[in-house]
Amino acid sequence: MLQQLTDDMKSAMKSGDKVRLSAIRMLRAAIKDREIEVGHALAADESLAVLSRLVKQRNDAARQYAEAGRADLEEKELLEAAIFQAYMPEPLSDEELAAIIEAAVVETGASSMREMGAVMNIVKAKAQGRADMGKLSAIVKQRLG
């Protein structure tokens, strides 16, 4: 992912796209910071977790700016989120999510909300970066509830 980011950063510099350049630099810095924290180069799933966190942060900030009536800042956050989102893998369809959840329920033998944590651990591992965890949690609750 870092090589792709470096290439995209160079093209953003050449084209003069300051917003894209800034967002890519921010993403690279977040990945490098995480590498320093853990003491090794990040695996693909670890980089994806950093990317997911940044997308979620930008969407949350945009929502807060919208509530405060700051459309200019909301737009900036949404633009950054869209740039980050371009590096995310293809999202899972609702059918794929349902299949992953059903497989996790069968694998754990879950039959009530008490086993939700075990189901979510399996689902998270399979859907990391490809689905909104809040949405997944709601679907699992509905399935187990």
Side-chain angles (χ1 to χ4, degrees):
M1 179 184 276
L2 279 178
Q3 185 58 47
Q4 176 69 39
L5 289 171
T6 301
D7 294 343
D8 290 349
M9 190 171 71
K10 288 177 186 176
S11 69
M13 277 189 228
K14 289 178 184 175
S15 69
D17 188 349
K18 292 181 181 179
V19 174
R20 184 170 180 77
L21 178 61
S22 172
I24 292 171
R25 283 181 172 160
M26 198 179 317
L27 177 55
R28 283 178 45 97
I31 290 172
K32 291 286 188 181
D33 285 347
R34 183 68 182 146
E35 286 179 345
I36 291 169
E37 278 180 37
V38 297
H40 61 79
L42 298 183
D45 62 329
E46 293 171 311
S47 294
L48 201 55
V50 170
L51 184 56
S52 295
R53 188 181 76 238
L54 288 177
V55 169
K56 183 179 184 318
Q57 285 173 346
R58 294 306 173 282
N59 287 329
D60 289 346
R63 182 181 43 74
Q64 290 174 356
Y65 285 134
E67 290 171 1
R70 295 293 310 266
D72 55 329
L73 294 175
E74 174 193 11
E75 184 179 327
K76 178 184 177 289
E77 295 292 335
L78 290 174
L79 184 57
E80 286 178 358
I83 292 168
F84 296 153
Q85 193 72 41
Y87 295 99
M88 299 285 285
E90 191 67 30
L92 294 169
S93 68
D94 289 342
E95 294 79 26
E96 291 171 316
L97 287 176
I100 289 172
I101 290 168
E102 192 59 38
V105 168
V106 169
E107 183 179 331
T108 60
S111 60
S112 70
M113 288 298 290
R114 251 188 243 144
E115 292 99 356
M116 183 174 173
V119 173
M120 283 302 294
N121 285 338
I122 293 170
V123 171
K124 279 183 183 180
K126 292 180 181 176
Q128 179 69 40
R130 298 184 65 200
D132 176 29
M133 290 302 146
K135 180 180 176 181
L136 277 176
S137 178
I139 295 171
V140 171
K141 281 180 185 176
Q142 182 182 18
R143 169 66 176 81
L144 294 177

